[in-house]
Amino acid sequence: MAKFRIISFDGGGIRGLYTAVLLNRIASDVPEFLQDIHLYAGTSTGGLLALGLAAGRSPQDAVQLYQQYGPQIFSRSWWRKLSSLWGLIRAKYDNVALREAVTSELGEQTMEGLAQQGRHVLISGFELDGVVNGRRSWKPKFFHNFPGPTGDAAELLADVALRTSAAPTYFPSYQGFVDGGVVANSPSMAALSQAMDQATGNQQLADIRLVSFGTGKVLRFITGTRNDWGALQWAGPAIPVLLEGSMDVQNYECGRILGSSQYYRLAEPLPEPIELDDVSKMDRLVQFANEVDIGPTVAWIKANFL
């Protein structure tokens, strides 16, 4: 049986550093793990990881990229704080440092260039002003480089990366797109669907192996049994609910469809809450990632993925 291997990465801002450290540890224990991936899927910071790996960068490269650019990406001048009223009327951050990081990582490479090397990607985004059945509407967009009319061969990897990581309220939209996390913060189910699509991946379900990486699960809750809230009260928790609430749904669906021998997810709860832009806790993210027991993950990869 020929295995079709998919690796999927969630969104989560600076918590992508946590994922990169975990990935680097696993790849050190199982060097062949990343040598024959057929589809790299990612959303937001996970999209940066997926595109970087597909472009030939190593997990250690990703760790260094987060450490080098993270504090710059999630920083803002006093002028931006004042002009945006602390993020109430403008995005909290500009995307200047993010664009610099993405360009340094991906250069001028295109989606077609990856496909020519046998490396396929699926990156989620959300188009703010598109066309649906001939009518103007916003819509989800999944960038991929499989052959066919739905592919995005001509797109620059850097542009796709900036589109998928334009998180609402955190960064400005980019080229008419915002963060794919608003529709698929965990793109595992989208990747499975693309792999089985007869016009693109054309894979049989039995051949698929999918491993999904979270960015460290932040345990949240809202007290009360009848919260009669309006827009103002929901404004604070709405973004975390939208970006994080769907991840367990994707995990449930993939788990039911594929089963434990074909699907594995590593998404450990963080020992303490770390927001997606809290660069003051980058050292803690590295520490927490190094404390995770990767034994079960390594065992599953050796037994089922390779």
Side-chain angles (χ1 to χ4, degrees):
M1 182 184 296
K3 295 177 181 178
F4 186 86
R5 301 177 182 88
I6 304 172
I7 188 167
S8 174
F9 299 103
D10 290 7
I14 195 59
R15 297 200 306 267
L17 171 61
Y18 173 92
T19 310
V21 173
L22 278 174
L23 194 64
N24 191 47
R25 291 181 60 206
I26 294 167
S28 296
D29 279 9
V30 192
E32 61 271 37
F33 171 42
L34 298 175
Q35 291 177 3
D36 193 17
I37 303 294
H38 299 100
L39 177 58
Y40 303 80
T43 291
S44 193
T45 197
L48 305 185
L49 285 168
L51 289 167
L53 291 172
R57 309 290 282 181
S58 71
Q60 183 58 40
D61 291 332
V63 171
Q64 293 172 352
L65 189 79
Y66 281 106
Q67 290 176 329
Q68 177 181 352
Y69 285 100
Q72 301 173 42
I73 291 170
F74 294 107
S75 68
R76 49 185 174 160
S77 65
W78 278 104
W79 167 245
R80 186 157 191 93
K81 290 180 182 179
L82 291 172
S83 64
S84 65
L85 294 180
W86 270 257
L88 292 176
I89 61 173
R90 294 178 64 187
K92 287 180 70 175
Y93 310 102
D94 61 38
N95 61 5
V96 174
L98 180 59
R99 290 168 66 181
E100 182 181 345
V102 165
T103 302
S104 71
E105 180 81 349
L106 303 172
E108 296 296 317
Q109 297 183 74
T110 64
M111 299 277 275
E112 183 177 19
L114 293 185
Q116 290 172 351
Q117 301 173 52
R119 298 174 179 176
H120 290 104
V121 295
L122 180 77
I123 308 297
S124 65
F126 191 81
E127 189 173 9
L128 297 175
D129 189 0
V131 177
V132 176
N133 296 326
R135 301 179 66 183
R136 194 173 179 183
S137 176
W138 58 29
K139 62 176 183 178
K141 167 64 179 176
F142 292 93
F143 297 94
H144 71 80
N145 60 348
F146 287 100
T150 64
D152 303 282
E155 296 285 357
L156 289 172
L157 302 187
D159 283 338
V160 174
L162 287 165
R163 291 167 183 170
T164 191
S165 55
T169 74
Y170 290 94
F171 296 107
S173 62
Y174 183 78
Q175 296 179 341
F177 290 84
V178 294
D179 196 306
V182 302
V183 290
N185 207 37
S186 178
S188 52
M189 190 63 190
L192 174 60
S193 302
Q194 197 74 59
M196 295 184 64
D197 187 337
Q198 292 182 354
T200 53
N202 195 30
Q203 298 298 310
Q204 298 299 310
L205 183 64
D207 297 336
I208 293 173
R209 301 294 183 273
L210 198 166
V211 58
S212 172
F213 287 89
T215 56
K217 187 174 180 63
V218 177
L219 302 179
R220 305 180 191 272
F221 57 90
I222 296 175
T223 59
T225 57
R226 186 180 182 275
N227 296 313
D228 189 10
W229 289 357
L232 184 61
Q233 293 99 325
W234 274 112
I239 294 298
V241 166
L242 288 172
L243 294 182
E244 299 174 10
S246 68
M247 292 188 291
D248 288 337
V249 177
Q250 313 297 324
N251 180 44
Y252 176 85
E253 292 170 340
C254 286
R256 301 294 80 71
I257 293 171
L258 290 170
S260 60
S261 65
Q262 293 180 248
Y263 172 72
Y264 187 91
R265 177 159 171 81
L266 181 59
E268 295 293 311
L270 292 172
E272 65 186 56
I274 298 180
E275 299 303 324
L276 62 83
D277 61 342
D278 191 352
V279 291
S280 70
K281 295 185 178 179
M282 289 172 61
D283 289 343
R284 300 285 280 170
L285 287 169
V286 173
Q287 174 191 336
F288 296 153
N290 280 320
E291 291 173 350
V292 172
D293 178 11
I294 61 170
T297 307
V298 168
W300 185 90
I301 288 169
K302 289 180 176 179
N304 300 293
F305 195 74
L306 300 179

